[in-house]
Amino acid sequence: MQKIIILDFGSQTTQLIGRRVRELDTFCEILPYNKYPADDADVIGVILSGSPFSVHDAEAFGVDLTRFVGRKPTLGICYGAQYMAHTGGGRVERADSREYGRARLTLVEPENPLLKGLAEGTQVWMSHGDTITALPDHFRVIASTGNVRYAAYADTQTPTWGVQFHPEVFHSEQGSTLLRNFVVDICGSAQSWSAASFIDTTVAELKAQIGSDRVILGLSGGVDSSVCAVLLNRAIGQQLTCIFVDHGMLRKNEFHDVLEAYKGLGLNVIGVDASERFFSDLRGVTEPEQKRKIIGRDFVEVFNDQAARITDARWLAQGTIYPDRIESLNITGKVIKSHHNVGGLPEQMNLRLCEPLQWLFKDEVRRVGRQLGMPDHLINRHPFPGPGLAVRILGDITPERVAVLQEADHIYISAMREYVMPDGRPLYDHVWQAGAILLATTRSVGVMGDERTYEHPVALRAVTSTDAMTADWARLPYDFLADVSNRIINRVRGVNRVCYDVSSKPPATIEWE
């Protein structure tokens, strides 16, 4: 299968490069900068990412360019462009001031294949402290900005290009056009990577991989595990047994509603209500990371207990997606994020691991779900934290506090589904993620009727995003916020104040804990 290799030098936007390439119906693989494959027969092009380092730093990452430059079309982005210029005999120096933010592109060579279709003065996004001050002899400038002479260059001897801006980010207005020029026109992608082709190929691979063995899968009610279950069910049917553990901190009625939805999909699901155990182990715990660890530990133990009853199981399936795998290892190979889908269960259960979604980004998972015929209410669900409402309650976790937050959150999310925007779609579909937070460590004074109250505030959170790496607070309509605030205060006992969070990520995060 044709693929683009993206070599990761540590940029925060490397995943965005991958998503943009996949949007061009082209398979790509993100690899650490020093892991270019020995067998590259199916590689049609290489992209070098940005990096937090300067090419002059002692710890800067380097790669043997002769392994692919001249053999495969190559595009360097930011650090990647500077690294190729530096190693090719050019000069990279510290810029007089850090070049960050919007800039306008002047097309020096508008007929160049990389720039085809770009408009003069198109906006691009810069983010670098160094800049190229001299190109190697066989390189030529093809685009500039007001402050950056060598904003884009081309090699006259090999199919190699470099840009000192980031075409993968939203703020580069025609960045997708530039990437299409490289991936489709220059590299020759057949654009055969699609949800339908993925399903056909993966179902055939699963049948061959699993044979007549039995598989168990832990369901969370979220998009990834649900799509994973339906895909496996298409391949192996009743050989799949799903386990859905209720830790007591799901949304209101979610345990029942999700089980009913899974039955409608023909899945073989075991529902386990373990909420009493989780509440008992969380009693008195207020530190967020400790909450997560307790919930993770208890989930593994409850899941193991149920799975052990399926004595003939040989495989453990997980809804691991590509960002989970990328974020769980940094480019030096050290674990930087302990993710629930990339460790723990297989070692303890002596089962072989099956991860049919491991190459997909979140938006691709949703496309596959639609192609599989799954209902919108399952595949369009907002992301929800694994520990559930435990990390949306600031302070001690009790069944009573969870019940309060469940009710407030239910009012908020239901209203979001009901509120119709001018384009005819519900407000819920305009938001990447939303939820309510109970400030259980705080009380505020209020007046209800003729009585003074001293109860907890609830904060509402809603963000827009494309990948959750960055997020902006959603500009929800004032009349919607006023209505939701009134509903929550009037209907939820224990709450007398509603606030709206207007923080973006960064510097804040999407969740509060």
Side-chain angles (χ1 to χ4, degrees), residues 306-379:
Q306 292 295 321
R309 304 178 190 185
I310 307 171
T311 56
D312 57 345
R314 297 291 179 268
W315 295 85
L316 171 71
Q318 294 190 146
T320 311
I321 64 174
Y322 201 29
D324 298 338
R325 297 168 60 219
I326 296 169
E327 291 173 356
S328 297
L329 288 176
N330 70 6
I331 57 179
T332 62
K334 297 179 181 177
V335 174
I336 58 173
K337 177 181 178 183
S338 178
H339 195 279
H340 66 281
N341 275 351
V342 284
L345 293 177
E347 293 81 3
Q348 298 179 31
M349 300 174 65
N350 197 30
L351 296 173
R352 300 173 68 184
L353 189 59
C354 175
E355 298 175 306
L357 306 182
Q358 63 177 314
W359 293 108
L360 300 186
F361 289 97
K362 176 71 79 173
D363 50 345
E364 293 175 314
V365 173
R366 288 194 167 103
R367 286 204 294 271
V368 167
R370 292 187 186 96
Q371 189 70 31
L372 287 167
M374 294 176 63
D376 285 346
H377 73 269
L378 275 182
I379 59 176

Side-chain angles (χ1 to χ4, degrees), residues 64-313:
D64 181 3
L65 296 173
T66 62
R67 297 187 62 188
F68 48 85
V69 169
R71 298 179 55 247
K72 308 286 183 179
T74 303
L75 172 64
I77 294 176
C78 199
Y79 175 90
Q82 293 172 359
Y83 182 78
M84 289 195 294
H86 174 68
T87 56
R91 188 166 60 249
V92 177
E93 297 179 298
R94 178 66 59 183
D96 293 336
S97 61
R98 190 166 190 265
E99 293 160 347
Y100 180 83
R102 296 171 177 82
R104 295 290 174 180
L105 205 61
T106 298
L107 305 180
V108 178
E109 192 179 298
E111 70 280 4
N112 189 277
L114 187 70
L115 305 180
K116 185 180 69 174
L118 266 66
E120 179 68 24
T122 187
Q123 177 178 286
V124 295
W125 186 262
M126 294 286 188
S127 180
H128 54 92
D130 288 354
T131 193
I132 300 170
T133 55
L135 290 174
D137 292 340
H138 50 94
F139 286 18
R140 67 182 186 276
V141 61
I142 60 173
S144 304
T145 70
N147 296 322
V148 182
R149 180 180 180 186
Y150 304 112
Y153 65 72
D155 187 348
T156 60
Q157 298 179 357
T158 65
T160 302
W161 290 262
V163 295
Q164 291 199 86
F165 53 89
H166 288 271
E168 71 274 20
V169 304
F170 173 78
H171 298 296
S172 289
E173 293 174 337
Q174 293 184 289
S176 295
T177 300
L178 185 147
L179 289 172
R180 179 186 179 85
N181 290 341
F182 179 73
V183 171
V184 178
D185 296 344
I186 294 172
C187 297
S189 168
Q191 296 186 278
S192 57
W193 173 260
S194 66
S197 67
F198 171 82
I199 292 169
D200 292 342
T201 301
T202 304
V203 165
E205 289 175 349
L206 288 170
K207 287 180 177 178
Q209 179 187 30
I210 295 169
S212 59
D213 292 344
R214 183 168 292 279
V215 181
I216 55 176
L217 166 68
L219 287 171
S220 68
V223 177
D224 302 336
S225 66
S226 299
V227 172
C228 181
V230 174
L231 185 61
L232 275 163
N233 188 56
R234 176 168 292 193
I236 62 172
Q238 292 303 299
Q239 293 168 235
L240 172 67
T241 299
C242 303
I243 300 172
F244 183 28
V245 177
D246 180 10
H247 49 43
M249 285 147 285
L250 300 173
R251 282 177 156 150
K252 183 180 178 180
N253 300 327
E254 187 167 23
F255 185 57
H256 174 270
D257 292 346
V258 170
L259 282 177
E260 288 300 311
Y262 285 148
K263 287 179 184 177
L265 293 171
L267 298 177
N268 177 26
V269 183
I270 299 172
V272 184
D273 182 357
S275 55
E276 288 188 12
R277 170 180 178 162
F278 283 87
F279 280 124
S280 176
D281 290 349
L282 286 167
R283 186 175 297 118
V285 177
T286 59
E287 203 279 319
E289 190 60 23
Q290 192 178 356
K291 291 179 187 176
R292 292 177 182 272
K293 288 180 178 178
I294 290 171
I295 292 170
R297 180 201 67 202
D298 284 3
F299 177 86
V300 169
E301 292 176 358
V302 172
F303 185 90
N304 283 354
D305 178 64
Q306 292 295 321
R309 304 178 190 185
I310 307 171
T311 56
D312 57 345

Side-chain angles (χ1 to χ4, degrees), residues 387-433:
L389 300 179
V391 292
R392 292 183 178 175
I393 296 175
L394 275 60
D396 188 12
I397 307 299
T398 67
E400 294 75 20
R401 287 178 173 177
V402 170
V404 168
L405 184 55
Q406 283 178 330
E407 195 62 39
D409 181 81
H410 178 70
I411 291 171
Y412 181 34
I413 298 301
S414 297
M416 197 169 274
R417 293 184 185 277
E418 295 166 4
Y419 191 95
V420 179
M421 297 293 282
D423 64 357
R425 295 189 300 148
L427 177 58
Y428 183 90
D429 291 348
H430 288 260
V431 172
W432 168 269
Q433 186 170 347

